[in-house]
Amino acid sequence: GKQNVFIGIDSGSTTTKIVVLNESQEMLFSFYKNNGGNPIKTVVEGLFELQKECERTATELCIKGSCATGYGEELIKAVFRMHSGIVETIAHYLAARAFNEHVSFILDIGGQDMKAIFVNNDTIDRIEINEACSSGCGSFIETFSKSLGFSVSEFTQKACKSFLPCDLGTRCTVFMNSKVKQVLREGVIVDDISAGLAYSVVKNCLYKVLKLKNIDSLGKHIVVQGGTMRNDAIVRALELLTKSEVVRC
């Protein structure tokens, strides 16, 4: 039948996400794929997938609203004539509020960047972004998983089986690569290396990007987002280091 829907497109640094919601905010369709350096082509591919799904289910969409966000917000909004765009940090905050209305800290780690949002009295009062190095982001983990012969999901699963995570520090990819080779020669297993890298991502964020002196400044209502946070080991490392239960959305 006919459906009134809203379409959202997040054109990120490395991936594109498309969602379609109905008027009850139920998700009817989702699309997630690496950009491959061509965000417009990826969005087109996602919209064709949506079209095929509509044809398969004999559904007619009546688009009541559409919005773009992410790195390619303005580009995607212009090319596909979307109704509006929203600043990425506000999108993160609104999403976090939907999962935890008392959210005090939001951490988004994508493929190339990291955004930390501090919330005080329902207001964003501080935003920190990594300026150059992507050593704490998704591409960092992907680089090491491939170099060791595993997919990202396999590498993540190995981290969750670790009993003694390796202390690899928080240096950039080049120096970390040397460290990983060193511990491999010393007989450290991949499970412990993967877990150690998960800790490195979190420590890089907390102590290098945010330069935290007191972990209590994050509050007790932490929400995480972004593709990197699909890694269970990284989320668990954050919980252990902050001694807080983390909500993932």
Side-chain angles (χ1 to χ4, degrees):
K2 183 176 287 188
Q3 289 270 11
N4 292 332
V5 300
F6 302 87
I7 296 179
I9 301 178
D10 177 9
S11 179
S13 60
T14 56
T15 60
T16 292
K17 287 77 69 179
I18 302 175
V19 294
V20 178
L21 305 181
N22 63 16
E23 292 179 305
S24 300
Q25 296 189 6
E26 297 169 322
M27 188 182 296
L28 305 180
F29 172 85
S30 66
F31 174 83
Y32 183 103
K33 188 176 181 182
N34 194 289
N35 287 333
N38 194 332
I40 294 175
K41 180 181 177 181
T42 309
V43 171
V44 169
E45 184 178 338
L47 294 178
F48 270 121
E49 288 287 329
L50 173 60
Q51 182 183 35
K52 290 178 185 177
E53 185 66 15
C54 289
E55 292 171 351
R56 186 184 69 81
T57 58
T59 303
E60 180 184 347
L61 299 185
C62 180
I63 301 172
K64 293 295 185 179
S66 58
C67 185
T69 190
Y71 269 76
E73 173 196 336
E74 293 296 332
L75 175 65
I76 299 303
K77 179 184 172 184
V79 171
F80 296 95
R81 299 184 182 181
M82 304 189 75
H83 294 101
S84 61
I86 184 170
V87 177
E88 195 172 358
T89 48
I90 300 300
H92 287 306
Y93 175 59
L94 294 175
R97 278 290 302 271
F99 282 83
N100 184 342
E101 62 179 340
H102 303 296
V103 59
S104 58
F105 177 69
I106 305 162
L107 178 60
D108 169 75
I109 304 182
Q112 297 288 344
D113 73 347
M114 177 189 303
K115 290 175 285 292
I117 303 169
F118 293 80
V119 181
N120 185 23
N121 293 325
D122 298 329
T123 304
I124 297 174
D125 67 357
R126 177 185 167 195
I127 299 174
E128 298 286 348
I129 302 174
N130 63 329
E131 296 178 350
C133 183
S134 62
S135 63
C137 301
S139 55
F140 175 75
I141 295 293
E142 187 177 6
T143 295
F144 285 103
S145 61
K146 287 182 177 179
S147 68
L148 293 171
F150 299 96
S151 67
V152 175
S153 59
E154 290 171 336
F155 199 58
T156 299
Q157 290 169 8
K158 285 190 169 294
C160 294
K161 297 174 183 177
S162 170
F163 289 98
L164 190 63
C166 184
D167 185 2
L168 298 170
T170 57
R171 305 180 79 181
C172 72
T173 305
V174 175
F175 290 104
M176 193 72 77
N177 191 43
S178 298
K179 182 68 174 179
V180 168
K181 289 179 179 178
Q182 177 188 331
V183 296
L184 279 171
R185 288 194 296 269
E186 293 171 355
V188 176
I189 61 174
V190 174
D191 296 15
D192 294 340
I193 291 174
S194 181
L197 287 169
Y199 271 105
S200 293
V201 167
V202 177
K203 288 178 179 178
N204 177 70
C205 169
L206 298 180
Y207 305 118
K208 283 201 169 181
V209 176
L210 300 181
K211 298 179 174 63
L212 289 184
K213 298 290 190 297
N214 184 357
I215 207 74
D216 293 337
S217 62
L218 303 181
K220 289 299 180 183
H221 299 280
I222 299 174
V223 176
V224 296
Q225 304 169 344
T228 300
M229 290 305 183
R230 298 176 75 182
N231 185 320
D232 294 336
I234 291 176
V235 175
R236 185 58 180 152
L238 179 61
E239 287 186 324
L240 293 173
L241 288 170
T242 61
K243 297 180 173 63
S244 300
E245 184 177 349
V246 171
V247 175
R248 174 168 51 185
C249 66

